[in-house]
Amino acid sequence: MTDRKAQFLNVGRRGVLRGLAASGLAATTMPLGSRIWAQSANGGTLRVSSYADIDALDPGFYQNGYNVDVMNCIYSKLVRYVPGREWDWELEAAEEIEQVDPTHIRFRLKQGIMFTGGYGEMTAEDVKFSFERVLVHDSPVKGDWGPLERVDVEDTYSGVIVLSEPFQPLWTITLPYGTGHIVSKKAVMEATEDGGNFGMEPPAFSGPYVLEEWRPNQFVHLTRNPEWTGEAPAFDEIRIIPMDDTKTAERAYEAGDLDFTEITLSSLAQYRDNPPADTTIEEYPSLYYVWLGMNVENPALQDENLRKAIQHAINAEQIIDAAYFGEAEASTGLIAPGLSGHREAPSVPVTGDLDRAREFLEAAGGPPSEPLTIDALNTTVWKTMAEVIQAQLSQIGIQTQINVQDSGSFWTLGMESEGERWKNMQLVLNRFSMLPDPYYATSWFISDQVGIWNWERFSSPEFDELHQQALRETDAEARDEMYRKMQDLMEASGAYKFITHEGTPVMYTETLEPALRPDGRPLFIDFAGSTS
C-alpha cells in the first residue's frame, strides 16, 4: 500500500495543525448545574449537540457537515478520518486500497459488511454504483469526485477507481468524507427507480448505527445496527440535538442534558476560569471560514466601487472583539493557516480603511438611496456581527437593515431552486465548513455554483480555470500559488470581506473519551466511555 500519510498532499505531512491547538484544561470547580450521567464504558446513550438539524442523508447529494456527522454513523466508506490532532486516514470498509498510479486506485472490500433490510452483503458493484451515481445524476456535490470516469469491478469485492486525470483531493476529501459513503445499489434502485436522490429516507444502512428516529428540529436518534459485523461502538444509542445557538447548547450541558458540545468563543474565557464540574475543556483550530458576501447581481450592489467601499469600511478585528470576545484571529481569505493556499495578508486590510472606503463610495456616486439588507442567522454571535457591521457602514453613510433568519430559512437564501429570494438578497453573513484541502474552499465559488452555494454570484473564467488546474497540479508550490491567486480574484471583485476562521473549543464530561478530527469536528462512532 502507498504511504497514506503522503496522500495528504499539501497538508504538511498530516500535521500542519499540530501545535496550533491548546491542551485540555480539566475542571476542578463546583458544578454549575446538576449532571446526570448514565453511561458506562460500553453502553448507555451519548448525548450531543449539533449546530443545525439534518436535512440530507443521501451521501451522493449531501449538504453540510452536520449531515456527514450522521452519515458517518449509518453508512460505511472505503476509508475514514483518524481521530486525533493530526490529519490522517485509515481503512474502514476497504480491506486493502492502493493508488497504483495517478489515475487508478485499486480497492478490496472487507467481507461480511451487510446492508440492512435484507439487501445483502456490500460488494464492489455497490461501490461502483455509489460513486458513479454522483455524476450520472449531476449532483450539486459532483465536484467532490472531480475527474472520476468510472469504477471497474474486478470481482465480488474488488475494483478499480478510474480517473481521467490526477485529482489531489481524493484522499483528503473524496474518499473519507461525504461522497465516499457507500450505499446499496439494490435498495436505492428500489426506493427511487432511477437511482437518484433519496433525501431523508435511507433505504438501507451499513454502519455501526441505524437511524431509529428523526424529529425535525428536536433530535436525531441513532441505535446500534444489529447486522453490524465490525467492531462494536461504545454506545448503545446516540442522541443528537440541533441547537442553532451554541449558547443554548452550553446551558444544556450545564444542566446535565448533554455530554459533549462545542462552546462559543465568547464563553471560552469564562469556562477556562470556571468550568462545570467534572468537565474537560479543549481548544482546536478551526477550518471554518466566515465572511460578508455581496450579491453582485442585486441592482443595489452592481457597482463594484460600492462593494469595495463596503469592504474597506469593515474592520474585522472589531467584529471579532465584539462577537468572539477577542478569542479568534482575523482571516486573510478562505484558507486557514497551515493549509496550502493560505495568504499571509489580504489585499483589503483586516482593519479596513475608512478613507479608501469614502473614496470608493464617492466613485460609486454616494451611498444607496435605500438601506441595504444584511441577512444573518438568528443566533447571538451572528446578530452581534451584523450589528457591528451596521455601525461600521454607517460611518461612511451607508444605512443597513438586519434580517435575522432561522437555519431552515437562512440556508436556502441564495438557492435558485428555492424560489426568487436570491434576487432580493444583498449582504449576507456566512460561514462554511472546510476540510484539509484548499479545493474544498474554492469549489463553492466557481461559476457552476452560482445559484447553488455561490450566493454572491461571483463568476470569473480565470478563477474557474485556476480551480481546475489546481486539482491536478502535483507541484506543491505551484498549487499553493494558484489558491492564493484565486482568493485575490474573489477579493478584487468586491463581493467578499473575509472575517475569521473562528476556533473550535469543546467541553465534555470526564467520563467521556471523545473522538475528534484535528479541527475539533466529532467522529461519533469512535467516542467511548472513559475507563479512568
Side-chain angles (χ1 to χ4, degrees), residues 50 61 94 112 169 217 232 318 327 343 363 396 433 472 474 478 510 514 532:
S50 176
F61 302 84
N217 299 313
Q318 291 177 351
E327 294 281 357
R343 298 191 302 173
I396 62 170
S433 58
R472 55 184 180 265
T474 57
E510 290 181 348
S532 60

Side-chain angles (χ1 to χ4, degrees), residues 50-325:
S50 176
Y51 63 89
D53 197 14
I54 58 175
D55 55 8
L57 288 182
D58 188 328
F61 302 84
Y62 77 91
Q63 297 177 18
N64 301 306
Y66 47 83
N67 291 293
V68 178
D69 292 342
V70 174
M71 290 192 293
N72 287 337
C73 300
I74 61 177
Y75 307 123
S76 297
K77 304 178 292 295
L78 293 176
V79 301
R80 65 179 183 175
Y81 293 125
V82 175
R85 294 285 185 170
E86 303 175 14
W87 289 103
D88 198 359
W89 58 263
E90 64 186 0
L91 298 174
E92 187 173 75
E95 180 179 82
E96 299 175 359
I97 191 166
E98 178 185 10
Q99 181 144 12
V100 295
D101 63 41
T103 58
H104 293 80
I105 299 90
R106 175 170 282 110
F107 66 88
R108 181 169 180 80
L109 289 171
K110 296 174 182 175
Q111 297 184 31
I113 300 175
M114 305 302 294
F115 288 110
T116 59
Y119 287 105
E121 187 179 19
M122 181 182 293
T123 69
E125 188 63 38
D126 295 307
V127 177
K128 175 182 176 67
F129 172 77
S130 299
F131 296 170
E132 291 182 358
R133 68 192 282 263
V134 176
L135 306 185
V136 169
H137 294 280
D138 197 28
S139 165
V141 291
K142 66 181 179 181
D144 283 13
W145 267 111
L148 175 68
E149 277 195 357
R150 64 186 187 277
V151 178
D152 291 336
V153 174
E154 295 184 323
D155 59 38
T156 302
Y157 303 107
S158 301
V160 178
I161 300 167
V162 181
L163 310 177
S164 61
E165 59 188 20
F167 187 58
Q168 297 305 314
L170 182 83
W171 296 97
T172 53
I173 296 174
T174 311
L175 293 176
Y177 197 58
T179 57
H181 290 92
I182 303 163
V183 296
S184 164
K185 177 180 179 179
K186 183 178 180 182
V188 174
M189 291 301 293
E190 287 184 4
T192 65
E193 295 184 356
D194 64 352
N197 190 354
F198 57 74
M200 287 298 296
E201 299 182 4
F205 305 105
S206 64
Y209 291 94
V210 300
L211 178 63
E212 180 70 22
E213 185 179 10
W214 170 53
R215 294 189 184 179
N217 299 313
Q218 295 185 52
F219 63 80
V220 176
H221 182 203
L222 306 178
T223 59
R224 288 185 190 269
N225 179 358
E227 299 183 52
W228 174 248
T229 58
E231 182 179 352
F235 294 89
D236 294 330
E237 303 176 327
I238 301 176
R239 189 172 291 264
I240 304 170
I241 304 173
M243 297 180 177
D244 290 350
D245 194 337
T246 308
K247 293 283 189 183
T248 303
E250 294 170 2
R251 293 192 292 270
Y253 180 91
E254 292 174 4
D257 297 328
L258 294 174
D259 309 312
F260 170 90
T261 185
E262 289 188 17
I263 58 180
T264 59
L265 290 168
S266 61
S267 298
L268 180 56
Q270 169 196 336
Y271 281 125
R272 282 200 203 102
D273 295 338
N274 186 31
D278 304 319
T279 292
T280 296
I281 309 291
E282 288 190 312
E283 298 174 51
Y284 286 77
S286 170
L287 299 185
Y288 286 117
Y289 48 98
V290 176
W291 78 98
L292 180 78
M294 307 175 214
N295 181 358
V296 300
E297 292 186 15
N298 183 276
L301 289 166
Q302 289 178 348
D303 191 313
E304 183 179 301
N305 285 305
L306 175 60
R307 300 196 300 269
K308 290 185 173 180
I310 293 170
Q311 282 181 319
H312 285 79
I314 294 173
N315 184 328
E317 289 186 354
Q318 291 177 351
I319 296 171
I320 291 166
D321 286 343
Y324 301 105
F325 284 47

